[in-house]
Amino acid sequence: MARSTRADAGDAVRITTAAGSRADEISARQRRYLFSMSLRTLCFVGAIAASLVGLNWLWPILIVGALVLPYIAVVMANAAAGLSDGFKLREADSGPRAIDGRREREL
């Protein structure tokens, strides 16, 4: 059987669903939280600007957004990344077995 080419040899093979490094995970969470809090700040500043301009229908929506976004930001920041490699594990046929390997109910 022929061996793979040199270009294929450099690709890593995923053999587990283990998470990445803790530092990378914290960094990604911090970026998501910072993005959400920036959006919240924009909603709050936009609500003030909308009320000064006289857009009475827009500023309440932006205030609600500014009030709800902290909860969403915390949930998003604390959400763990999904660790799935796309493979399903087989269902194990569990239960008591006799010494010879047959099920007890088969005996």
Side-chain angles (χ1 to χ4, degrees):
M1 183 174 212
R3 300 191 105 203
S4 62
T5 64
R6 204 31 115 161
D8 292 337
D11 294 338
V13 177
R14 185 173 185 177
I15 59 171
T16 182
T17 57
S21 72
R22 181 78 174 145
D24 290 341
E25 182 183 349
I26 290 173
S27 176
R29 287 181 182 194
Q30 286 174 340
R31 282 191 305 269
R32 285 193 304 253
Y33 187 78
L34 182 63
F35 174 75
S36 297
M37 287 296 104
S38 299
L39 187 60
R40 177 186 187 232
T41 303
L42 287 175
C43 282
F44 186 73
V45 171
I48 293 172
S51 70
L52 291 175
V53 173
L55 295 173
N56 294 330
W57 62 271
L58 181 59
W59 70 264
I61 296 170
L62 293 173
I63 290 292
V64 168
L67 292 174
V68 172
L69 276 172
Y71 173 75
I72 294 171
V74 168
V75 170
M76 282 177 39
N78 290 332
L83 301 175
S84 175
D85 57 2
F87 294 104
K88 287 192 161 210
L89 297 176
R90 283 190 305 177
E91 289 289 327
D93 189 19
S94 61
R97 291 187 177 267
I99 294 175
D100 62 356
R102 293 183 297 163
R103 294 249 170 240
E104 286 185 4
R105 65 179 173 261
E106 294 173 356
L107 294 176

